[in-house]
């Protein structure tokens, strides 16, 4: 919304005195006025809210009309689409969002603005209720920086971000602060900077650091600052160089090998020391044949007789073995005679004989 040109202000004041924007002074107010008007200014957002007007004897919806004026003028203007890009002349809700279409729209941020509101129902109207005047840059709540991005490096963190909202450099700018700490340690704060990235140096490698960002709006001409809110806590781990990474890989590999060697050696020692116990644990218990198990369960069954009948005589064949013994002197004579007979030519078989 742009303020009216200064050349048109006398004409606007004349129209205002003729009743162009306001009802006559003697208009009876037959509706209760809205209450609890609140102006919401957060970053670039601008809105007005209020409590609804309730009527017990009429079911028709109550509509609301919003008007504004600048501190340099006494003329009130309707908030309509032609001048303000939003229409708040016949609202059925309880909020008029002046930046609903775009955050770059709304009232000029360095102007003093006064808003007023009334309720309407058919030909009935309420009295106008004014909200306290405001200047956006002086009264807005400043949020934390947005689009936070962290790049971990060797012993440092590079933090980039964007401003809470855009401001013209000739009117205002933002200071930025970073509150950071090692996880579990004490909090530190950096010097304020105007750039949109901050490098945290002298950090320990492979350590987790947490941080919060804060923006502070500074009005150059008025020399006034508006501190903002802290961002959510973010954490990131610093990195190490290539040589340190190689050392870590070697140490981890050697440690893993030694641990496996110790475990294998301990298992082998236990197996050798408690061999009998291990054999007992892994040895299967002897099992009883099924026929005998059935007999033991019910001795009255003629299982053994059936086994005797099924057995064949061939299975019961026996081999006879005779043991012949001689005195020691006779054993030697018999052995000598046997050897002589085996070497005598007369006892050799003759080729071609009968």
């Amino acid at each position: 919304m742009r303020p009216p040109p200064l050349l048109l202000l006398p004409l606007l004041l004349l129209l205002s005195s003729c009743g162009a924007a306001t009802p006559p002074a003697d208009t009876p107010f037959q509706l209760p006025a809205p209450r609890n008007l609140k102006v919401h200014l957060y970053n670039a957002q601008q809105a007005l809210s209020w409590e609804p007007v309730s009527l017990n004897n009429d079911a028709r919806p109550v509509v609301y009309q919003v008007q504004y004026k600048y501190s340099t003028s006494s003329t009130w203007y309707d908030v309509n689409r032609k001048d303000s890009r939003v229409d708040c002349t016949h609202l059925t809700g309880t909020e008029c969002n002046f930046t609903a279409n775009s955050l770059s729209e709304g009232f000029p941020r360095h102007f003093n603005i006064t808003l007023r509101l009334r309720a309407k129902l058919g030909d009935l109207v309420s009295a106008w209720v004014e909200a306290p005047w405001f200047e956006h840059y002086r009264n807005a709540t400043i949020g934390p920086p947005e689009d936070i991005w962290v790049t971990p490096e060797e012993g440092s963190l590079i933090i980039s971000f964007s401003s809470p909202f855009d401001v013209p450099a000739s009117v205002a700018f933002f200071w930025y602060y970073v509150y950071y700490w090692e996880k579990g340690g004490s909090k530190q704060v950096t010097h304020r900077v105007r750039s949109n990235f901050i490098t945290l140096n002298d950090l320990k490698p492979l350590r987790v650091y947490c941080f919060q960002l804060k923006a502070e709006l500074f009005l150059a001409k008025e020399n006034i600052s508006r501190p903002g809110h802290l961002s959510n806590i973010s954490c990131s781990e610093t990195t190490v160089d290539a040589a340190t990474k190689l050392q870590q890989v070697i140490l981890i590999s050697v440690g893993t090998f030694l641990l496996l060697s110790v475990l294998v050696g301990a298992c082998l020692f236990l197996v050798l020391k408690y061999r009998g116990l291990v054999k007992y644990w892994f040895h299967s218990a002897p099992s009883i044949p099924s026929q005998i198990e059935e007999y033991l369960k019910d001795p009255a069954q003629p299982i053994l007789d059936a086994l005797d009948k099924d057995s064949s005589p061939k299975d019961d064949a026996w081999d006879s073995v005779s043991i012949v013994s001689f005195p020691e002197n006779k054993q030697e004579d018999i052995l000598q005679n046997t050897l002589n007979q085996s070497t005598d030519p007369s006892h050799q078989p003759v080729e071609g004989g009968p």
Side-chain angles (χ1 to χ4, degrees):
M1 300 176 181
R2 297 182 178 178
L6 296 178
L7 295 177
L8 296 180
L9 287 178
L11 178 60
L12 293 172
L13 289 174
L14 179 60
L15 293 175
S16 175
S17 62
C18 294
T22 58
D26 56 351
T27 300
F29 302 116
Q30 299 169 317
L31 289 179
R35 296 183 303 173
N36 197 17
L37 275 65
K38 293 182 179 179
V39 178
H40 302 273
L41 304 173
Y42 182 81
N43 287 342
Q45 300 175 9
Q46 299 175 352
L48 175 68
S49 66
W50 57 90
E51 292 182 358
V53 173
S54 59
L55 300 176
N56 297 328
N57 55 354
D58 199 327
R60 292 178 299 171
V62 177
V63 296
Y64 303 93
Q65 180 183 4
V66 180
Q67 291 184 343
Y68 71 96
K69 75 170 184 176
Y70 298 100
S71 61
T72 57
S73 171
S74 59
T75 305
W76 293 92
Y77 305 94
D78 284 329
V79 180
N80 51 37
R81 293 189 180 277
K82 181 179 179 181
D83 300 329
S84 309
R85 304 290 180 89
V86 292
D87 188 4
C88 295
T89 56
H90 294 82
L91 288 175
T92 56
T94 58
E95 183 183 67
C96 177
N97 189 350
F98 308 106
T99 54
N101 296 327
S102 175
L103 293 178
S104 61
E105 299 175 355
F107 300 109
R109 298 171 187 168
H110 56 284
F111 274 63
N112 291 344
I113 307 296
T114 304
L115 300 173
R116 71 177 184 178
L117 172 73
R118 72 175 179 178
K120 297 190 298 183
L121 181 61
D123 297 332
L124 305 178
V125 294
S126 70
W128 289 101
V129 182
E130 292 187 11
W133 70 270
F134 67 91
E135 181 184 335
H136 190 96
Y137 284 137
R138 290 175 178 265
N139 303 108
T141 300
I142 309 302
E146 300 178 350
D147 304 324
I148 299 173
W149 185 264
V150 185
T151 303
E153 290 192 352
E154 179 187 352
S156 64
L157 295 176
I158 300 177
I159 307 172
S160 59
F161 48 87
S162 61
S163 60
F165 60 96
D166 297 331
V167 295
S170 60
V171 177
F173 59 87
F174 285 102
W175 289 113
Y176 299 103
Y177 302 85
V178 179
Y179 299 85
Y180 69 98
W181 62 94
E182 184 180 352
K183 201 167 186 178
S186 58
K187 184 178 292 188
Q188 306 178 55
V189 61
T190 62
H191 297 290
R192 64 182 186 177
V193 296
R194 290 185 59 176
S195 62
N196 289 81
F197 68 91
I198 298 176
T199 303
L200 302 179
N201 295 313
D202 301 328
L203 304 181
K204 299 178 183 178
L206 294 178
R207 299 293 180 89
V208 177
Y209 285 85
C210 299
F211 63 90
Q212 289 179 289
L213 296 176
K214 185 180 76 171
E216 182 181 79
L217 179 64
F218 184 79
L219 303 178
K221 295 181 179 180
E222 294 84 352
N223 196 23
I224 297 175
S225 62
R226 292 283 301 167
H229 291 178
L230 287 170
S231 65
N232 295 329
I233 296 176
S234 301
C235 297
S236 183
E237 183 179 7
T238 56
T239 60
V240 294
D241 57 359
T244 307
K245 286 184 179 179
L246 181 60
Q247 293 177 1
Q248 290 179 347
V249 171
I250 294 175
L251 290 176
I252 293 174
S253 301
V254 172
T256 303
F257 176 76
L258 293 177
L259 180 60
L260 292 176
S261 300
V262 171
L263 291 176
V264 172
C267 293
L268 183 61
F269 172 76
L270 293 175
V271 169
L272 294 177
K273 184 175 182 180
Y274 300 100
R275 185 187 307 172
L277 185 59
V278 173
K279 185 177 180 181
Y280 172 77
W281 284 347
F282 291 97
H283 180 70
S284 59
S287 59
I288 302 174
S290 59
Q291 296 87 348
I292 298 177
E293 185 176 2
E294 293 179 2
Y295 174 74
L296 293 176
K297 291 180 180 179
D298 189 5
Q301 295 182 5
I303 297 176
L304 298 179
D305 296 339
L307 294 175
D308 292 339
K309 291 180 180 180
D310 293 341
S311 61
S312 60
K314 295 180 179 180
D315 297 335
D316 297 337
W318 296 85
D319 293 332
S320 60
V321 177
S322 300
I323 300 175
V324 181
S325 62
F326 297 95
E328 294 182 359
N329 54 359
K330 289 186 178 184
Q331 289 181 5
E332 295 178 358
D333 295 338
I334 293 171
L335 179 59
Q336 187 65 32
N337 292 334
T338 303
L339 293 174
N340 292 335
Q341 291 178 2
S342 62
T343 57
D344 190 359
S346 61
H347 290 83
Q348 298 293 329
V350 179
E351 184 177 358

